[in-house]
Amino acid sequence: MSGPFPRVATHLPVPHAGVAASGLGAPHRLVIEGVPEQVSTARSFIRQVLGSGHPGTERITLLTSELVTNSIEHSGSRLPGGTITITLRVGTDRVLVEVADAGGAAVPTLCRDDGLGESGRGLRLVDSCSLAWAYHRSVSGTVTWFECTLEPLQ
């Protein structure tokens, strides 16, 4: 892992970089129920917005899927009636994805990787495959975001 948690893009304001990110297009939003069956809906949304020929589609779909899965597993959005909002903004050289949920008892945290755990790998993927990521908490919940270049997974 490179750098401290979370890796925050230095050219964007903190604590929530996505709010004032310049050079990005209009937001595309999807609201889903906080149930496991909706992770595939989130993946389809990313593919639909970016299109099959977009070089970053695989990377952005994977990382979005990881954040949505974390929201379902660790936030109040998994309770009956809970929702998760995915916001995607596309620029000429980067993409910003925000996943908003109802929040939970803990904040998004990178887990130590002992190689044997069945969970805890999602944020490690986000950390290693994005330019930056972080989270923002408010009274309404938690928004976890990442920013990527438009490169395919290798």
Side-chain angles (χ1 to χ4, degrees):
M1 173 179 64
S2 61
F5 162 80
R7 291 183 300 136
V8 178
T10 56
H11 64 284
L12 300 174
V14 175
H16 186 52
V19 172
S22 63
L24 295 173
H28 299 270
R29 285 192 179 86
L30 173 69
V31 179
I32 59 173
E33 293 178 79
V35 295
E37 297 79 17
Q38 291 295 304
V39 176
S40 63
T41 303
R43 288 191 296 260
S44 295
F45 167 70
I46 298 298
R47 288 185 193 114
Q48 179 182 8
V49 171
L50 294 178
S52 61
H54 191 282
T57 298
E58 286 181 59
R59 176 187 307 266
I60 295 157
T61 300
L62 172 65
L63 301 184
T64 301
S65 178
E66 294 298 337
L67 291 187
V68 169
T69 298
N70 283 352
S71 290
I72 292 167
E73 290 180 4
H74 304 292
S75 80
S77 291
R78 71 181 176 279
L79 300 174
T83 61
I84 296 166
T85 302
I86 300 128
T87 304
L88 173 67
R89 295 181 68 192
V90 182
T92 57
D93 63 345
R94 61 195 165 108
V95 172
L96 177 72
V97 175
E98 301 169 330
V99 176
D101 60 42
V107 296
T109 305
L110 281 173
C111 297
R112 289 199 172 273
D113 184 18
D114 62 7
L116 302 174
E118 289 186 21
S119 65
R121 294 185 181 134
L123 281 180
R124 293 186 80 62
L125 274 172
V126 173
D127 186 62
S128 66
C129 294
S130 67
L131 290 172
W133 74 276
Y135 66 90
H136 168 230
R137 291 187 89 167
S138 70
V139 293
S140 61
T142 302
V143 175
T144 307
W145 63 267
F146 68 86
E147 183 180 48
C148 283
T149 60
L150 306 182
E151 300 171 3
L153 281 174
Q154 296 179 8

mmCIF file of all heavy atoms in Angstrom, residues 37 68 146:
data_model
loop_
_atom_site.group_PDB
_atom_site.id
_atom_site.type_symbol
_atom_site.label_atom_id
_atom_site.label_comp_id
_atom_site.label_asym_id
_atom_site.label_seq_id
_atom_site.Cartn_x
_atom_site.Cartn_y
_atom_site.Cartn_z
ATOM 1 N N GLU A 37 -28.600 -8.017 -3.637
ATOM 2 C CA GLU A 37 -29.043 -8.210 -5.016
ATOM 3 C C GLU A 37 -28.877 -6.945 -5.867
ATOM 4 O O GLU A 37 -28.878 -7.017 -7.097
ATOM 5 C CB GLU A 37 -30.515 -8.651 -5.056
ATOM 6 C CG GLU A 37 -30.789 -9.982 -4.403
ATOM 7 C CD GLU A 37 -30.875 -9.915 -2.868
ATOM 8 O OE1 GLU A 37 -31.043 -8.810 -2.307
ATOM 9 O OE2 GLU A 37 -30.750 -10.973 -2.232
ATOM 10 N N VAL A 68 -20.153 -0.284 -2.819
ATOM 11 C CA VAL A 68 -21.569 -0.592 -2.604
ATOM 12 C C VAL A 68 -21.703 -1.808 -1.689
ATOM 13 O O VAL A 68 -22.532 -1.814 -0.766
ATOM 14 C CB VAL A 68 -22.301 -0.805 -3.949
ATOM 15 C CG1 VAL A 68 -23.694 -1.376 -3.737
ATOM 16 C CG2 VAL A 68 -22.369 0.512 -4.725
ATOM 17 N N PHE A 146 -14.054 7.778 -4.565
ATOM 18 C CA PHE A 146 -12.747 7.522 -5.166
ATOM 19 C C PHE A 146 -12.665 8.253 -6.481
ATOM 20 O O PHE A 146 -13.674 8.577 -7.106
ATOM 21 C CB PHE A 146 -12.469 6.017 -5.343
ATOM 22 C CG PHE A 146 -13.325 5.334 -6.360
ATOM 23 C CD1 PHE A 146 -12.977 5.326 -7.705
ATOM 24 C CD2 PHE A 146 -14.483 4.669 -5.971
ATOM 25 C CE1 PHE A 146 -13.762 4.680 -8.641
ATOM 26 C CE2 PHE A 146 -15.275 4.018 -6.902
ATOM 27 C CZ PHE A 146 -14.918 4.026 -8.237
#
